[in-house]
Amino acid sequence: MGVADRLEFRLLGPVEVWRGPERLVISSRHQRSVVAALALRPGRVVSVSALVDAVWEEESPPSARRQVIKLVSRLRGVLGDAITTRSSDYVLNVEPDQVDVGVFESSVARARQLSATDPVGAAAAVREALRLWRGPALSGVTPGLAVQATRLEESRLAALEDGVDWELAVGGHAALVAELTVLVTEHPLRERLVGQLMLALNRSGRTTDALEVYRRTHERLAEDLALAPGVELQQLQVAILRDDVTLAAPVSPPAPAPRSSVAVPRQLPCAVAAFTGRASQLEELTGLLDRKDTVVISAINGTAGVGKTALAVHWSHRVADRFPDGQLYVNLRGFDPSGQPVQPAEAIRGFLDALGVPAPRIPAGLAEQAALYRSQLAGRRILVVLDNARDTGQIRPLLPGSARCLTVITSRDHLGGLIVSEGAHAVPLDLMTTAEAHDLLARRLGPERLAAEPHAVSDLIELCAHLPLALSIVAARATLTPVLSLTELSRQLRDVRDRLHALDIGDTSVNLSAVFSWSYRTLSTAAARMFRLLSLHPGPEISVPAAASLTGTDRDRAHAALSELTRAQLLTEPSAGRFAYHDLLRAYSAETAQQEEHEQARHEAMHRMLDHYVHTAHAATLLLNPPNDRLPLTAPEPEAHVEEFTDEEQAWQWFTTERPVFPAAIDRATDAGFDTHAWQIAWSVANFCIRAGHWTQMVTTQLVAIGAAERADDPHGLASSLRELGRAYIRLGRYPDAQASLHRALDLDERLGDLIGQARSYNNLGIVSYAQGAHPEALEHGKAAYALFHKAGHQAGEAEALNAIGWMQTQLGRHADALRSCTRALELHRAVGSRHGEADTWDSLGYAHHNLGEHQQAADCYQTALDLYQKLGSRHPQADTLIRLGDTYHDAGDFHAAQRCWQRALPILDDLRHPDADILRARLAEHPPAP
């Protein structure tokens, strides 16, 4: 098995399984428990009963054995033949060194053997072993493995205590005080740690503090356990009180003689010309120089072309004088077009040559070379720059062991393993800010040229996606062709299909397609396909289910591919489970899709993705408004993923998160010939847009939907889209446009014989008439809508129409009639489960009671409506109800309460940019609360 295929089981922290650089997806706690139970006994038989105990602890269900067998079967799909069956039980066929527990235990055992002759080496070996711990052992599993977790924690503490003993034995007391203070705080009744802290304090001249530690421990044992300290701790206290000479620190060995002739390497590449920006990252790196008594590693990571090497080299030259013993540099070629990264042995050999080690003294094995390399750096202040690293495995042998050295690493990989196990300090490098990008162009082209075409400069920065490499290429193009204006250059770049070619200046080392390809070629087959097909998604971000739909794989495999792309810096993860990339990477992704994916495969991927959005949005809108009409959707493609929601809150959150995707998805659907999908997605998100106040977006999407329905020759879709457009126009106060759309929809509905469509159009026409002050006409529209809904047997529609009728009756002064109409509407809304309809009707009832002078009843009704609107996320109705509730309080003489309601409504209207905001602001100014 090669290194890339080698399985590693990590139990000393969250339970994880890795195959080479890839973390395998093991999604459930029960599966992780089975993995952990098997990995704790590698190569040995584990019975089904033992696995049942590991998963369920005590009360296992009757089906436990069957469930365990299913869990193992699923794990085999991930781990392959690593799990085998032996007499109906199971064996994990891996070596102990493939499990971090085995590595830890064997390392500690060797350290204990070494301690008698080399306590320094033994202590260092234990410290190295303890780096394997990433948190509490066996995290993320079921309680059935609690005993094993406790055993492992005890092993960790015992090893730590041994290591501390060996460090105390060689005079390391001063450096241990801080660590032991924390450990004793965490484990106050662990007497061996307490004694070690007392000894370290005493040897550091802090006898009083040492005795105070004993006193606190004595009190804690007495209070918690009714016990006295053990004999050893009591004897240590007496020895400290007597100033016993046996407690004195050992005499330090003499310092090694200074080297007579030591090579001082100066390997840094040339300083970066015209470097600009990255002030915060430079400051962060410089801050690392102040850290003492620890090996400092800085890992600069970021996407291709973001300027990682430029930053590392520029900073290294700035601080080179702080490293008088030299600077080592190697380009590890982790993402080189040759595909051949530098091997650690080759890099170490180069470093040893630079350090002046004679060739005959350099051993053959990597481990021996690494030990010699670290010995050469011991006690010296050297800066080590490891540029363009592929992964953690390539880096580890090159890390110094001396706290006087500092290592700077650049990589497109996140190097998460290095951060966890080596304590590396991550310096993520993102795209440039607008100001930084402007400075870069100004340094390359001169401020005068930029000042002459400021709009073109802004366009170039955006078209280059703020990527330093792209900006540098643009500057080179402009320099090489001075007759080419920046405006013309931006015009050439604006066509995304030609953007990568427009940024080609004939040098593969700075050609964006080539640079991106170096990362692309390192991907697994699944991740590469994911990268290609992501170009079909309109952005700006994609979820795991949408990505799984694109590739036609399950969610776990899709997430694994997305995670690999993120580690390769070809994607970012702006929020948990959502992924994105910048426009230039999108262009490269589209280029690879065009070259490597057949047209039919691209078409099928687009179909699955659009199915995901239309079916998920349709399910969500029905959950938000249960009596809503259903679309006659065709069944989704088998490998499209439709999300399921258990409540309105989940549906609302999905709409809120995906809202930026909808307009682009509708456009992408029309461009690809999926016209039915286009208008159906627009319809499915319409209710959310109405309630959340995204009316302008709704106009845009419905205009596209109308064109799509016309091309699809779908009169029902056209009528629905026209009706939704009319609703959006109403909210924006564009009443003539609303009337035109609604009348056109009504004509279509009448020709189609669609009673419900006609009723909905009349309902909305009633709202337009009401908004224009034509209340009798609005009432007639409401009655027409009710008659059509009643004829169609549509109770939810009847309820909406009755509420509209009741509202119009209040406008005509018929408040008692309004109460009857709205009470009946409320009953129907409850019968069909329309909470939004209930909220609207409670608001109407409040208005009727208010006009009857029944202020308390009105306030109660408004508050009920407001509570419902808030739960439903309906923003504009909240503002309307708050205003009317304020009017009620004002008329009842409670001016402070009125002001509070109006003030709560104002920011909602301002946020929606609603014209009523200015009217409300004027009212607040005219009616200040009474003193």
Side-chain angles (χ1 to χ4, degrees):
M1 181 182 293
V3 173
D5 298 320
R6 177 183 167 90
L7 286 171
E8 290 184 14
F9 294 80
R10 302 180 184 179
L11 311 184
L12 300 179
V15 172
E16 297 175 352
V17 183
W18 291 71
R19 178 178 282 114
E22 176 188 6
R23 187 175 74 175
L24 304 183
V25 177
I26 302 177
S27 55
S28 76
R29 288 201 310 156
H30 288 178
Q31 283 184 318
R32 289 192 292 271
S33 297
V34 171
V35 165
L38 291 169
L40 284 167
R41 303 183 67 185
R44 297 165 64 188
V45 172
V46 180
S47 68
V48 174
S49 297
L51 293 178
V52 168
D53 291 341
V55 174
W56 282 283
E57 191 176 16
E58 295 176 358
E59 296 294 331
S60 59
S63 61
R65 292 182 63 85
R66 187 169 64 254
Q67 290 190 48
V68 161
I69 293 168
K70 286 183 178 179
L71 288 169
V72 174
S73 176
R74 293 194 191 104
L75 285 171
R76 280 176 165 157
V78 179
L79 304 179
D81 58 3
I83 301 177
T84 58
T85 305
R86 194 177 299 173
S87 300
S88 300
D89 295 322
Y90 299 104
V91 178
L92 182 64
N93 292 301
V94 296
E95 297 300 321
D97 67 354
Q98 290 176 255
V99 184
D100 58 3
V101 173
V103 176
F104 173 76
E105 290 175 344
S106 62
S107 298
V108 172
R110 285 194 300 271
R112 286 173 176 146
Q113 291 175 351
L114 182 64
S115 62
T117 58
D118 183 9
V120 174
V126 164
R127 292 289 184 182
E128 184 69 25
L130 288 169
R131 289 184 179 182
L132 294 168
W133 289 73
R134 298 165 290 110
L138 301 177
S139 297
V141 300
T142 54
L145 288 169
V147 172
Q148 291 286 359
T150 302
R151 177 185 68 81
L152 291 171
E153 176 62 10
E154 178 60 33
S155 296
R156 182 185 76 85
L157 289 172
L160 177 60
E161 289 167 338
D162 284 349
V164 170
D165 271 347
W166 301 327
E167 288 168 344
L168 286 170
V170 294
H173 47 272
L176 287 167
V177 168
E179 179 183 7
L180 285 168
T181 300
V182 174
L183 288 168
V184 169
T185 301
E186 294 173 346
H187 307 280
L189 302 181
R190 199 169 181 93
E191 293 190 30
R192 189 177 177 192
L193 287 174
V194 172
Q196 290 171 334
L197 175 56
M198 290 171 62
L199 185 59
L201 287 167
N202 185 60
R203 287 181 176 177
S204 301
R206 298 170 60 183
T207 302
T208 303
D209 292 338
L211 294 171
E212 175 61 19
V213 170
Y214 179 86
R215 186 191 64 78
R216 289 200 304 266
T217 303
H218 189 288
E219 290 180 353
R220 185 74 176 266
L221 284 166
E223 290 174 3
D224 292 359
L225 303 174
L227 294 174
V231 173
E232 290 185 5
L233 206 58
Q234 293 182 39
Q235 291 174 344
L236 177 59
Q237 183 222 17
V238 172
I240 291 173
L241 288 169
R242 291 176 177 173
D243 197 17
D244 195 325
V245 294
T246 62
L247 300 182
V251 178
S252 299
R259 297 178 180 137
S260 56
S261 177
V262 178
V264 179
R266 307 289 186 192
Q267 291 189 321
L268 292 178
C270 295
V272 181
F275 184 89
T276 186
R278 308 306 196 188
S280 63
Q281 288 84 1
L282 289 168
E283 182 179 351
E284 189 174 357
L285 288 167
T286 303
L288 297 176
L289 296 174
D290 298 327
R291 293 171 62 177
K292 307 293 184 186
D293 301 323
T294 182
V295 177
V296 180
I297 306 164
S298 174
I300 303 172
N301 62 80
T303 191
V306 81
K308 301 178 293 296
T309 298
L311 171 65
V313 172
H314 175 76
W315 179 80
S316 296
H317 276 283
R318 280 179 52 170
V319 300
D321 62 325
R322 305 276 289 270
F323 297 91
D325 295 320
Q327 304 89 42
L328 296 171
Y329 172 90
V330 62
N331 180 359
L332 295 171
R333 301 200 302 269
F335 297 88
D336 196 79
S338 69
Q340 297 296 324
V342 173
Q343 295 300 310
E346 180 185 348
I348 287 180
R349 178 61 188 260
F351 284 166
L352 291 173
D353 287 342
L355 291 165
V357 178
R361 282 189 55 205
I362 299 177
L366 174 60
E368 292 78 9
Q369 288 178 356
L372 177 59
Y373 163 64
R374 285 193 290 270
S375 298
Q376 290 293 311
L377 297 186
R380 303 175 69 179
R381 188 146 179 78
I382 288 181
L383 175 64
V384 181
V385 181
L386 307 177
D387 192 20
N388 196 19
R390 178 66 169 268
D391 52 35
T392 301
Q394 188 188 26
I395 293 165
R396 277 206 174 98
L398 308 180
L399 298 177
S402 171
R404 302 192 67 201
C405 295
L406 186 146
T407 307
V408 176
I409 305 163
T410 74
S411 180
R412 299 183 192 181
D413 191 280
H414 284 289
L415 302 178
L418 201 68
I419 294 167
V420 171
S421 61
E422 310 295 336
H425 180 87
V427 182
L429 200 59
D430 206 345
L431 302 173
M432 279 186 153
T433 65
T434 300
E436 288 175 332
H438 192 279
D439 286 348
L440 185 153
L441 292 176
R443 284 176 178 257
R444 304 291 178 91
L445 300 177
E448 297 81 7
R449 189 168 181 185
L450 267 60
E453 300 179 82
H455 295 298
V457 173
S458 298
D459 286 346
L460 286 172
I461 291 171
E462 294 305 315
L463 291 167
C464 289
H466 295 240
L467 189 70
L469 178 58
L471 291 162
S472 299
I473 293 172
V474 161
R477 283 283 311 277
T479 302
L480 293 171
T481 317
V483 296
L484 184 68
S485 71
L486 300 184
T487 301
E488 174 60 22
L489 186 53
S490 69
R491 188 196 65 76
Q492 292 179 10
L493 289 177
R494 195 168 291 114
D495 186 351
V496 70
R497 291 169 299 178
D498 298 327
R499 195 176 306 176
L500 292 176
H501 299 293
L503 289 169
D504 184 0
I505 59 173
D507 184 342
T508 57
S509 67
V510 292
N511 177 280
L512 275 176
S513 290
V515 170
F516 292 156
S517 74
W518 302 342
S519 290
Y520 174 70
R521 281 200 291 267
T522 68
L523 299 173
S524 66
T525 301
R529 181 167 180 265
M530 175 68 77
F531 180 72
R532 295 191 297 270
L533 293 180
L534 283 175
S535 64
L536 303 177
H537 187 269
E541 296 176 3
I542 189 169
S543 66
V544 174
S549 299
L550 264 178
T551 55
T553 56
D554 63 50
R555 298 187 190 203
D556 287 347
R557 287 189 176 89
H559 191 272
L562 293 166
S563 297
E564 182 180 342
L565 291 170
T566 304
R567 290 194 300 273
Q569 298 288 353
L570 291 171
L571 288 183
T572 61
E573 191 173 4
S575 58
R578 297 189 67 77
F579 299 84
Y581 50 15
H582 59 68
D583 285 348
L584 295 176
L585 276 170
R586 183 182 294 277
Y588 177 68
S589 171
E591 185 178 274
T592 58
Q594 193 72 28
Q595 293 169 352
E596 301 180 34
E597 293 286 340
H598 293 300
E599 182 179 355
Q600 181 63 26
R602 297 198 304 272
H603 180 85
E604 290 170 355
M606 179 74 75
H607 194 168
R608 291 191 299 267
M609 178 190 73
L610 293 174
D611 273 358
H612 159 77
Y613 282 115
V614 72
H615 283 272
T616 303
H618 190 255
T621 199
L622 294 180
L623 191 59
L624 288 177
N625 190 18
N628 206 4
D629 301 329
R630 295 173 179 268
L631 292 179
L633 301 179
T634 57
E637 290 293 296
E639 293 173 318
H641 293 266
V642 181
E643 298 200 50
E644 297 178 357
F645 308 106
T646 58
D647 54 37
E648 293 174 350
E649 184 177 351
Q650 285 187 357
W652 185 264
Q653 184 57 50
W654 183 82
F655 273 127
T656 302
T657 303
E658 297 288 355
R659 184 182 72 83
V661 177
F662 297 138
I666 293 166
D667 287 341
R668 185 62 59 93
T670 59
D671 292 343
F674 290 92
D675 288 318
T676 299
H677 283 79
W679 79 257
Q680 288 179 342
I681 294 173
W683 184 92
S684 296
V685 303
N687 267 336
F688 164 75
C689 289
I690 286 289
R691 287 166 54 179
H694 304 305
W695 306 320
T696 301
Q697 173 180 314
M698 187 172 166
V699 167
T700 302
T701 56
Q702 293 304 329
L703 287 172
V704 174
I706 288 168
E710 288 175 333
R711 284 190 300 276
D713 193 21
D714 187 337
H716 287 283
L718 179 56
S720 295
S721 301
L722 286 165
R723 195 157 44 248
E724 297 304 332
L725 177 64
R727 292 174 70 199
Y729 280 146
I730 290 170
R731 297 309 188 279
L732 292 170
R734 295 171 56 177
Y735 302 124
D737 291 332
Q739 279 182 315
S741 292
L742 292 168
H743 278 299
R744 190 178 166 197
L746 184 60
D747 289 343
L748 276 170
D749 290 328
E750 288 173 345
R751 289 203 297 271
L752 293 167
D754 185 349
L755 299 178
I756 295 171
Q758 295 174 55
R760 293 204 179 281
S761 294
Y762 274 118
N763 234 5
N764 285 294
L765 284 168
I767 297 172
V768 175
S769 297
Y770 159 70
Q772 295 178 312
H775 297 154
E777 181 180 296
L779 180 59
E780 292 308 310
H781 285 318
K783 290 179 178 179
Y786 176 78
L788 288 161
F789 278 130
H790 184 72
K791 185 176 180 181
H794 196 289
Q795 277 194 316
E798 289 181 62
E800 291 177 32
L802 280 169
N803 182 49
I805 289 169
W807 181 257
M808 296 311 156
Q809 287 168 334
T810 63
Q811 305 305 306
L812 296 169
R814 296 161 52 185
H815 305 303
D817 291 340
L819 287 176
R820 285 190 290 273
S821 297
C822 291
T823 299
R824 176 59 182 150
L826 189 62
E827 293 170 356
L828 287 173
H829 279 309
R830 285 173 171 165
V832 297
S834 174
R835 295 209 297 161
H836 199 278
E838 283 187 58
D840 289 342
T841 306
W842 278 114
D843 180 80
S844 300
L845 286 166
Y847 193 74
H849 281 298
H850 178 188
N851 282 280
L852 289 169
E854 298 165 355
H855 296 136
Q856 187 56 55
Q857 294 96 317
D860 291 343
C861 291
Y862 283 139
Q863 191 58 57
T864 302
L866 192 59
D867 291 342
L868 282 167
Y869 284 139
Q870 288 172 334
K871 290 175 182 175
L872 295 166
S874 299
R875 301 178 69 214
H876 184 238
Q878 284 182 56
D880 278 349
T881 299
L882 282 166
I883 291 169
R884 285 193 274 273
L885 179 57
D887 294 344
T888 297
Y889 283 133
H890 185 274
D891 290 354
D894 192 342
F895 303 117
H896 286 285
Q899 281 274 327
R900 285 195 298 272
C901 291
W902 295 337
Q903 286 168 346
R904 285 174 61 192
L906 185 59
I908 299 175
L909 295 175
D910 278 335
D911 191 43
L912 295 174
R913 300 181 181 178
H914 198 283
D916 287 353
D918 291 332
I919 298 171
L920 181 56
R921 196 172 284 106
R923 181 187 298 184
L924 282 164
E926 291 173 5
H927 299 282

